[in-house]
Amino acid sequence: MSRSRLAAFLATGAAACLGLLGCVWYLYPQCSDQIHNGSETDVDCGGACAPCAIGLACRSGADCANGNCVGERCTPLPCFNGVRDGAETDVDCGGGTCRRCAGARHCLADGDCFSGTCEPGTSTCSSLRTVSFAAAVSYPAGSKTYALFSGDLNGDGLVDLAAANEEGDSISVFLNGGGGTFQRGAADFATGAYPTGGAIADFNRDGVADIATANYHGNSVSILLGVGDGTFDPAAHYPTASGAETSNLALGDLDGDGYLDVVATNPATGSVSLFMGLPDGTLGPARNVPVGTGNSAPFSAAIGDFDGDGKNDLAIAEMISRTIVVRLGNGDGTLRPEVAFPVGGTPAYILIAYDVNLDGKLDLVCANRGSDDVSVLLGRGDGTFLDPIVSSTGAGTGPYSVAVADFNLDGVPDLVTANFMSGTASVLLGIGDGSFEAPLDAGAMGNFTYGVVAGDFDGDGKPDFAACNAVSNDVAVKLNTSN
C-alpha cells in the first residue's frame, strides 16, 4: 500500500489499542458507534456527523449545534452563557440584543421585559410578587379518573371540565358555575373501554364542543358529539388495531380539508392510527403507521406546524427508545420519514406542542414520570429540534402530564405537572429560554394524580389548574391566589 493510500486509510478508520494485544482498526466509522473516529471532532458528532453539544470538541462553527467554536470547544453564545455581560440588563436577557427578561429580572426599559413593563420603582420586569394556590377543592367523578380535558361545553363562555374514567368506561362532565366552582352533570357519558386520553374540540364545525377519547382496552377512538348544553350524543367508536392498547390521541388537520383529524397512539403494537375527519364529525377508517424500526411503544402525540410551511406535522413520544419521533406532513394526510430526537428523560409520557420561548417556533414539552422532570425541545423552525432542556419537578414526584399557563403574569409561559407518585402538582415558572426556575410544590391534589389542565376558572385574569386522581376518583381544582 502506498503512503498516500495508507494515510487515507488511517484517516477514515480508528484504532482501539489494547496494550500488548495491539490495535484493532475500525474501518467504517459511523455516527452512532460511540467512538471518536473518522472526521468527527468528538464522539459521534462534528465533521460529517451531527453538530456537537456545548462543551465538546470542534474545529469550526459547523461542528457545533450553536455554530460557536472557540478555542476548539463548542462554547455558549453570549446570550446563553449564564453571565450578565454586554448590554444585558440581567443574566442572558434584556438590552435589546438578547431575549427579553422574565418577571422580577432587572430592566431599564419596557422593551427589556416579556411583560412589556419595567417597573419604575424597582427597575424589575412586572409580574405577580408571589405565586400561590388555594387548597384543592375536589369533585367526585367516576371509577379510576385518569385523563382530564377543558373547554366551554355549554356555550356560556366559562371553562368547563371533562374527566375520562378509565374503569368506568365513561366521561364525567363538570360545568363551571362561575367563581371557579363546578357542578357534575346528572349523568356520565359512555365511551369505549378504558378511556385513558382524549381532547375537547369541534369535529363537525357546528360551534358546539365535542369530546374524543382514546380507549386503552377498547383498542379504539370514540367521538361524542356535543348537544350544546354540556350533554352529548351516544359515542361513535372507531377501531385502531387489535391489541393496540390505544393510550392517547392528538388532533389537527393533516390533510388540509379544514376538518380535524385524529392520530391515536398504540404502544402495544408500536404504531399510530391516523383517522381523517369527515364534515359530519365522523372519522374515516384507521390507517395504521408503524413507529420506529423495531420494538417501540408510542405513548402520546402532538400535532403542529413544526417547519413553518403551513402544513401540520406529527410528533410522537416513544417510550422504549426514549425519543420523540417527528414526521413532517405533506398536507394531504401523508407523512415524511421519521426523525428521532432524544427526550433526555425516562420515559416521555404526555407530550404537548407549545412555543415556550416565544420565538414564533413550536417547541415540544413532555413529562417524564420515571426521572421526575420535564423536557423541552426547542424548535428550530425547520422541523428539527435542539437537544432537550431538562427541568426537575422535584424528587419523587413522578410527573405524568403537563400543561402550560402564565401563572405569575410576567408574559412567559410556565408549566404545571400532575405528579403520579406524590399526588401533588408542581409549578415551574418560565425563564423565557426553555428553562425554568426550581419547581414550586403546588400542594396535594389526591391519590395517583394523572391528568392536568390549566385555565382561568374563576374569571379573575389569573390561570388556575385542575388535576384528576385515579385512586381517589375525583377532580381537584386549585384556584390561583397569587398577588
Side-chain angles (χ1 to χ4, degrees):
M1 181 181 296
S2 68
R3 287 181 181 271
S4 60
R5 293 185 63 190
L6 177 60
F9 172 83
L10 296 177
T12 57
C17 296
L18 308 175
L20 296 177
L21 295 179
C23 296
V24 177
W25 285 94
Y26 296 87
L27 302 182
Y28 302 104
Q30 299 183 21
C31 296
S32 58
D33 56 16
Q34 300 184 351
I35 302 169
H36 183 185
N37 54 17
S39 65
E40 298 167 3
T41 59
D42 212 305
V43 176
D44 291 344
C45 70
C49 298
C52 296
I54 299 296
L56 300 182
C58 57
R59 286 187 290 268
S60 70
D63 296 321
C64 301
N66 69 347
N68 193 40
C69 181
V70 178
E72 298 187 344
R73 192 67 51 182
C74 293
T75 304
L77 291 163
C79 293
F80 300 91
N81 60 9
V83 177
R84 180 181 173 183
D85 51 14
E88 298 169 4
T89 60
D90 209 309
V91 175
D92 291 343
C93 70
T97 57
C98 299
R99 61 174 169 82
R100 290 171 290 168
C101 297
R105 301 301 201 279
H106 187 263
C107 56
L108 296 177
D110 291 345
D112 292 327
C113 305
F114 279 109
S115 65
T117 302
C118 180
E119 297 288 354
T122 60
S123 294
T124 58
C125 294
S126 66
S127 68
L128 297 175
R129 294 185 298 276
T130 65
V131 177
S132 59
F133 298 88
V137 176
S138 297
Y139 300 88
S143 180
K144 197 176 181 182
T145 312
Y146 196 96
L148 190 62
F149 327 123
S150 62
D152 183 4
L153 299 177
N154 60 352
D156 63 357
L158 302 177
V159 180
D160 307 311
L161 302 174
N165 305 306
E166 183 182 12
E167 291 183 352
D169 301 338
S170 65
I171 291 286
S172 297
V173 170
F174 300 86
L175 296 180
N176 192 333
T181 62
F182 292 84
Q183 178 67 47
R184 183 178 174 183
D188 292 344
F189 302 92
T191 65
Y194 271 52
T196 54
I200 294 174
D202 184 3
F203 285 92
N204 56 356
R205 297 175 62 178
D206 64 352
V208 175
D210 312 310
I211 294 177
T213 64
N215 308 311
Y216 189 82
H217 283 176
N219 304 314
S220 65
V221 167
S222 297
I223 302 292
L224 292 78
L225 296 180
V227 175
D229 58 358
T231 64
F232 296 85
D233 289 333
H237 307 298
Y238 302 90
T240 52
S242 177
E245 297 182 351
T246 305
S247 54
N248 285 283
L249 55 79
L251 306 179
D253 183 5
L254 292 174
D255 58 2
D257 65 354
Y259 295 95
L260 285 174
D261 308 313
V262 177
V263 176
T265 52
N266 305 315
T269 55
S271 67
V272 293
S273 296
L274 276 61
F275 298 90
M276 297 296 107
L278 302 174
D280 60 356
T282 61
L283 302 178
R287 186 171 83 249
N288 292 316
V289 179
V291 176
T293 57
N295 190 26
S296 68
F299 190 78
S300 64
I303 293 175
D305 182 4
F306 303 137
D307 59 356
D309 65 352
K311 304 168 186 175
N312 275 329
D313 311 307
L314 175 65
I316 305 162
E318 203 287 289
M319 294 192 294
I320 294 177
S321 64
R322 301 177 185 175
T323 61
I324 295 177
V325 174
V326 173
R327 300 194 66 171
L328 299 181
N330 293 313
D332 59 359
T334 64
L335 302 168
R336 297 175 217 169
E338 296 181 349
V339 179
F341 300 90
V343 168
T346 314
Y349 277 85
I350 298 303
L351 172 70
I352 60 176
Y354 198 93
D355 180 11
V356 296
N357 64 344
L358 302 177
D359 65 351
K361 304 165 187 174
L362 274 180
D363 311 310
L364 297 172
V365 184
C366 60
N368 308 316
R369 191 175 90 180
S371 51
D372 297 334
D373 50 38
V374 294
S375 296
V376 172
L377 282 69
L378 295 177
R380 291 188 174 99
D382 60 358
T384 65
F385 295 83
L386 297 174
D387 288 340
I389 300 171
V390 180
S391 300
S392 172
T393 56
T397 51
Y400 175 82
S401 60
V402 60
V404 181
D406 180 8
F407 291 109
N408 62 348
L409 301 184
D410 68 345
V412 180
D414 310 314
L415 303 180
V416 59
T417 60
N419 300 327
F420 166 82
M421 294 300 296
S422 60
T424 64
S426 297
V427 170
L428 285 70
L429 299 180
I431 293 174
D433 59 356
S435 64
F436 298 85
E437 304 283 5
L440 303 174
D441 183 354
M445 301 302 294
N447 294 325
F448 288 81
T449 307
Y450 278 97
V452 67
V453 296
D456 185 3
F457 303 146
D458 56 2
D460 66 353
K462 295 181 292 189
D464 314 300
F465 71 90
C468 61
N469 304 291
V471 171
S472 49
N473 297 320
D474 56 15
V475 171
V477 174
K478 275 186 174 279
L479 299 181
N480 191 336
T481 57
S482 307
N483 57 46

